[in-house]
Amino acid sequence: MIRFTHTSKRYPSGFDALQNVSFHMPAGQMAFLTGHSGAGKSSLLKLIALLERSSRGQVLINGQNLAKISRRRIPYFRRNIGIIFQDHQLLFDRTVYDNVALPLIIAGYPRREIGKRVRAALDKVGLLGKERKYPITLSGGEQQRVGIARAVVNKPPLLLADEPTGNLDPELSRDIMHIFEEFSQVGVTVLVATHDLALIHTLPYRVLTLKGGQLVNDTDPSE
Amino acid sequence: MASGAPSRDIGLRRGPLTALRVYLLRHLQVLFYSLGVLSRSPFATLMTTAVIGIALALPSGLHVVLKNAQQLSGGWDGAAQISLFLKRTVQDDEASRLARQIQKLPEVANVSYISRREALQEFQRLSGFGDALEALKDNPLPSVLVIHPTPAASTPAATEKLLHRLKDYPPVDIAQLDMQWVKRLYVIMELVRRGVVVLAALLALAVLLVVGNTIRLAIQNRRDEIVVMKLIGGTDAFIRRPFLYTGFWYGLFGGVIAWLLVSLSLTILSDPVERLTGLYQSQFELSGLDAATTGILIGTSILLGLTGSWLAVGRHLRDIEPT
């Protein structure tokens, strides 16, 4: 599903965010991406979501070479990736329902189908019944779950999360990770960037460790 | 996602008819959504649309004034007349023959003949020099043919042509066209018309800038929303749409305000105009904005609103990219 081949990212300022990174994640796998701040976690996720383009090497997502996707095609490409942000990126002037429905509206689903899917997604993250609330009235954990519901509502095969538990206490963090595990179990590929080592060491998933833009460790307890 | 290429747009994978219906429905929703956004800040919306309305009311109002002036001067064209002063040697029967000949010309509505004697009588009656004329041995006045052109031939150019033709008849001594002032009026009106066109163009540009700037601010205010839309796969067209419809509403409301302003001004003016024309015994009636002009006014306004927002969106939407 995700394949990096000798991929490097150098910013115009001359900073090397990623250097010669190679790895492969098969479809349906769940993995953590870890490292200190500035190690390149966010850059790596940005390359996958085409928020940035690599300077050297190749990124293949689902067999598709990202270098060959034109600017005009990027929106269609992004619809196949659910992205979860540390700061949620919710629209605060819209209800929970409208926030979660946004990807479906963008993709042009009929209204009836939207209602069904939004409720299904909210049910999965345990927020059914809060459709009419505004995000500002929810707790941090609940806001993050709205973000997850929005990311999964159109059933993307790939889920990216950038520090999804950054502002949450350990118990809520575990809840969030549990939600990701559930998606992984139904075949969704999940890549979670986090520096919460205490949490990920309690979970039986692959860990990719970045340091100074290089992939320094790749452990998979299932192997 | 089993195959290599990602699915394009799941929403458009159903039948083409359903897809079209969904598409149109979305447009309708965005149309009313953008109206809702505008109505949430009525004061700001009113300010913007009022500026557009006033800017468009000026050229529209001048256009109406000009149209009325043209209508008024159209009535004066009948006043254009050509006087043919015949040579002193021309006798009455020859003059009548010429009059009949001229009467047959298609450009001529009617010809009247004033013989030398009639001319003298008229002159005596009107000038007050009656006694002085008695002292003359001979009648000094020539006979005259007064020619009124048909309305179709009353334009300055056509009358001029007719004049040159009439001048060439042998009995004619002097042919004189007394419509210099009509010509001047036409030139002045043409000047004013051009002025209105230039003014309209400048004010249209102003409307474009007003709408463009308003939309630019709206884009900046909704920067976060645009970023989120782009992150979750919103195409440029999708993100652009609400702003374009906002421009549409600005144009529509601005056009309606312009129409109201012009109509209101005409209502205020109609009474004094009526009194004035009454003093001149004229049947003139102030005409307002007809349906076609109103249509053009509002259509132009909408087009300006759309274009202004299109320019702003094209210019500023690309700058906003998620990081």
Side-chain angles (χ1 to χ4, degrees):
Chain A
M1 177 59 82
I2 303 176
R3 187 184 288 279
F4 275 58
T5 319
H6 305 298
T7 310
S8 298
K9 173 65 188 175
R10 170 176 286 195
Y11 284 99
S13 62
F15 173 68
D16 288 303
L18 290 174
Q19 290 179 56
N20 202 19
V21 172
S22 298
F23 72 96
H24 173 238
M25 258 182 90
Q29 192 178 52
M30 175 156 168
F32 291 109
L33 182 64
T34 187
H36 294 292
S37 306
K41 302 192 295 290
S42 293
S43 293
L44 196 145
L45 293 185
K46 281 177 183 174
L47 288 186
I48 297 174
L50 266 177
L51 293 167
E52 302 277 2
R53 287 183 186 271
S54 60
S55 323
R56 297 175 67 186
Q58 217 178 34
V59 182
L60 292 178
I61 302 297
N62 199 24
Q64 200 177 26
N65 185 351
L66 297 196
K68 297 208 168 110
I69 295 179
S70 66
R71 185 189 178 279
R72 215 172 48 79
R73 300 289 315 158
I74 289 176
Y76 301 101
F77 170 74
R78 281 196 195 137
R79 290 177 195 178
N80 296 302
I81 304 176
I83 312 175
I84 294 137
F85 308 90
Q86 181 174 4
D87 54 357
H88 322 320
Q89 298 275 15
L90 300 176
L91 299 177
F92 287 98
D93 61 339
R94 302 192 190 196
T95 60
V96 166
Y97 180 95
D98 288 341
N99 267 285
V100 176
L102 205 54
L104 302 177
I105 289 172
I106 284 173
Y109 281 81
R111 180 196 280 275
R112 223 164 347 111
E113 218 170 315
I114 290 177
K116 227 162 51 190
R117 288 195 180 218
V118 169
R119 274 186 291 277
L122 285 173
D123 188 25
K124 239 175 260 172
V125 299
L127 282 180
L128 204 56
K130 305 222 169 183
E131 294 108 302
R132 290 173 179 280
K133 296 228 160 139
Y134 282 86
I136 202 80
T137 64
L138 303 178
S139 70
E142 285 173 323
Q143 287 185 15
Q144 189 54 284
R145 282 188 276 161
V146 174
I148 295 172
R150 186 184 63 190
V152 301
V153 73
N154 63 343
K155 299 185 177 152
L158 174 59
L159 213 52
L160 301 177
D162 192 3
E163 303 284 358
T165 60
N167 299 323
L168 304 180
D169 60 49
E171 197 176 332
L172 283 172
S173 300
R174 260 196 301 282
D175 286 351
I176 299 286
M177 287 306 172
H178 184 66
I179 294 172
F180 288 139
E181 285 184 273
E182 282 177 357
F183 285 115
S184 165
Q185 279 154 19
V186 295
V188 178
T189 312
V190 184
L191 181 59
V192 181
T194 179
H195 58 245
D196 192 348
L197 295 175
L199 177 63
I200 59 182
H201 285 320
T202 66
L203 296 166
Y205 298 107
R206 183 179 177 187
V207 178
L208 297 159
T209 309
L210 285 169
K211 192 175 178 187
Q214 285 173 316
L215 193 59
V216 291
N217 207 352
D218 185 351
T219 57
D220 193 344
S222 67
E223 274 171 8
Chain B
M1 287 295 277
S3 67
S7 63
R8 257 193 79 141
D9 192 336
I10 304 153
L12 300 177
R13 216 192 267 151
R14 289 171 300 270
L17 218 66
T18 317
L20 183 71
R21 215 174 49 223
V22 168
Y23 181 77
L24 291 178
L25 197 68
R26 290 282 167 247
H27 268 265
L28 213 64
Q29 279 173 348
V30 175
L31 181 71
F32 288 107
Y33 168 77
S34 54
L35 183 62
V37 170
L38 286 179
S39 69
R40 255 175 272 160
S41 49
F43 189 68
T45 305
L46 189 68
M47 294 265 273
T48 306
T49 48
V51 169
I52 298 169
I54 291 167
L56 292 176
L58 260 167
S60 314
L62 283 173
H63 168 78
V64 169
V65 168
L66 200 62
K67 207 175 60 180
N68 279 299
Q70 263 164 354
Q71 221 167 46
L72 205 58
S73 70
W76 295 334
D77 278 347
Q81 62 174 45
I82 296 171
S83 303
L84 295 180
F85 297 95
L86 305 180
K87 287 172 182 155
R88 295 275 293 278
T89 53
V90 174
Q91 295 307 308
D92 274 358
D93 54 342
E94 196 186 347
S96 311
R97 229 182 5 258
L98 182 62
R100 279 195 299 277
Q101 206 179 333
I102 289 170
Q103 181 74 66
K104 282 179 196 148
L105 295 174
E107 299 95 330
V108 174
N110 70 72
V111 181
S112 51
Y113 172 56
I114 302 164
S115 69
R116 294 181 62 191
R117 203 176 333 106
E118 283 163 353
L120 186 65
Q121 279 165 2
E122 194 181 342
F123 188 69
Q124 276 175 336
R125 201 175 62 244
L126 294 176
S127 67
F129 289 120
D131 294 340
L133 289 167
E134 294 288 340
L136 292 172
K137 262 192 289 172
D138 214 4
N139 179 358
L141 299 176
S143 50
V144 183
L145 290 177
V146 179
I147 292 144
H148 292 276
T150 57
S154 288
T155 62
T159 355
E160 196 78 43
K161 230 171 84 185
L162 183 61
L163 180 74
H164 281 291
R165 245 173 104 182
L166 296 173
K167 212 182 246 171
D168 292 341
Y169 287 107
V172 176
D173 189 15
I174 301 167
Q176 192 179 305
L177 175 66
D178 191 26
M179 60 174 303
Q180 207 56 44
W181 65 275
V182 174
K183 255 180 165 170
R184 287 193 186 123
L185 184 72
Y186 268 101
V187 172
I188 289 169
M189 286 212 305
E190 177 60 22
L191 201 70
V192 173
R193 205 185 62 77
R194 291 264 173 103
V196 170
V197 170
V198 170
L199 186 73
L202 285 176
L203 288 170
L205 193 67
V207 170
L208 275 187
L209 294 178
V210 166
V211 174
N213 200 42
T214 310
I215 298 290
R216 184 179 65 84
L217 290 175
I219 290 172
Q220 276 172 6
N221 282 339
R222 295 171 66 185
R223 197 189 170 87
D224 295 345
E225 186 179 337
I226 292 169
V227 166
V228 170
M229 299 268 198
K230 287 198 173 185
L231 280 175
I232 59 180
T235 56
D236 286 351
F238 182 88
I239 296 167
R240 191 159 48 212
R241 218 169 282 151
F243 295 107
L244 291 184
Y245 279 119
T246 305
F248 167 85
W249 288 118
Y250 278 140
L252 179 63
F253 293 143
V256 170
I257 287 176
W259 181 83
L260 283 174
L261 287 174
V262 172
S263 302
L264 190 71
S265 311
L266 286 174
T267 315
I268 292 170
L269 285 178
S270 74
D271 243 24
V273 165
E274 209 166 284
R275 253 177 291 155
L276 183 68
T277 54
L279 289 175
Y280 282 94
Q281 268 104 49
S282 163
Q283 294 298 308
F284 175 71
E285 213 174 292
L286 196 65
S287 64
L289 286 166
D290 55 31
T293 318
T294 306
I296 291 172
L297 169 63
I298 291 181
T300 309
S301 186
I302 289 173
L303 199 69
L304 287 173
L306 279 175
T307 314
S309 56
W310 183 277
L311 290 175
V313 166
R315 175 93 181 63
H316 300 288
L317 220 49
R318 251 187 118 96
D319 297 344
I320 301 175
E321 280 293 341
T323 49

